[in-house]
Amino acid sequence: MNFQDYFDLTQLYARYAQAVSSGEWELWPEFFTDDCSYRLQPRENYDRGFPLATLSFESKGMLKDRVYGIRETLFHDPYYQRHVVGTPLVLKAEADRFECEANYAVFRTKLSELSSVFSVGRYIDVVVRTEEGLKFASRQVIYDSEMIPNSVIYPL
């Protein structure tokens, strides 16, 4: 992997974290290919090879539907999220495809409360080169805790 590809990859991860921390949800689907996969899954299920996921989207269109739901149909106490993402570890590099893993932590701040840890885990990704630059073809969000809040509204 050359320096420019690694730089572009780290920028993809940094821009993703900034976008999902900003509350500008329309930016989120644009990090993915049209035929992408995005899954939110507990570590226990992932480690045992069980397919059950908390959320599972199989296209960019489904991600856009989720954004619509966040904006127009879901009602909840507002809160902010802040994503802290580790440097991606490149597990396999090909000319136009990279398999990567990175640790993440998401903090949640409700308007009148202290910040708290919302989710901790790792991303397992397949990143591909497109005409628009690097994009996620697949993102598995594997969260460590078996306990999650009763609703996951915003993307992790």
Side-chain angles (χ1 to χ4, degrees):
M1 178 174 222
N2 65 43
F3 176 79
Q4 187 62 51
D5 284 342
Y6 189 71
F7 177 78
D8 292 345
L9 184 68
T10 59
Q11 288 299 293
L12 174 69
Y13 277 76
R15 286 192 318 273
Y16 181 95
Q18 191 280 329
V20 293
S21 294
S22 73
E24 296 180 56
W25 306 119
E26 291 78 13
L27 299 174
W28 177 55
E30 300 310 314
F31 287 91
F32 294 87
T33 60
D34 289 340
D35 59 346
C36 67
S37 172
Y38 176 91
R39 293 174 51 84
L40 179 65
Q41 187 175 29
R43 181 179 183 168
E44 178 184 24
N45 285 2
Y46 178 81
D47 287 348
R48 292 182 176 187
F50 296 158
L52 184 62
T54 305
L55 293 173
S56 182
F57 303 116
E58 296 301 323
S59 71
K60 187 176 187 176
M62 292 179 80
L63 300 180
K64 289 180 177 181
D65 284 347
R66 182 64 178 191
V67 169
Y68 178 82
I70 290 168
R71 289 273 188 228
E72 304 296 332
T73 65
L74 298 176
F75 296 96
H76 58 89
D77 288 338
Y79 61 89
Y80 301 110
Q81 287 190 153
R82 181 67 52 203
H83 292 69
V84 178
V85 179
T87 304
L89 174 64
V90 179
L91 304 172
K92 185 175 182 182
E94 298 172 354
D96 294 327
R97 184 178 187 277
F98 307 101
E99 294 178 15
C100 309
E101 187 173 308
N103 295 324
Y104 77 86
V106 178
F107 299 90
R108 178 170 69 175
T109 306
K110 292 189 175 185
L111 301 181
S112 60
E113 297 179 18
L114 294 172
S115 297
S116 61
V117 176
F118 182 72
S119 180
V120 174
R122 65 187 169 165
Y123 297 126
I124 300 173
D125 300 315
V126 174
V127 176
V128 295
R129 190 181 318 279
T130 71
E131 291 179 4
E132 297 87 32
L134 297 180
K135 295 198 179 231
F136 295 106
S138 171
R139 170 155 271 196
Q140 295 182 77
V141 182
I142 309 301
Y143 57 90
D144 287 339
S145 177
E146 294 177 22
M147 300 296 292
I148 60 170
N150 32 348
S151 64
V152 176
I153 297 167
Y154 304 139
L156 297 181

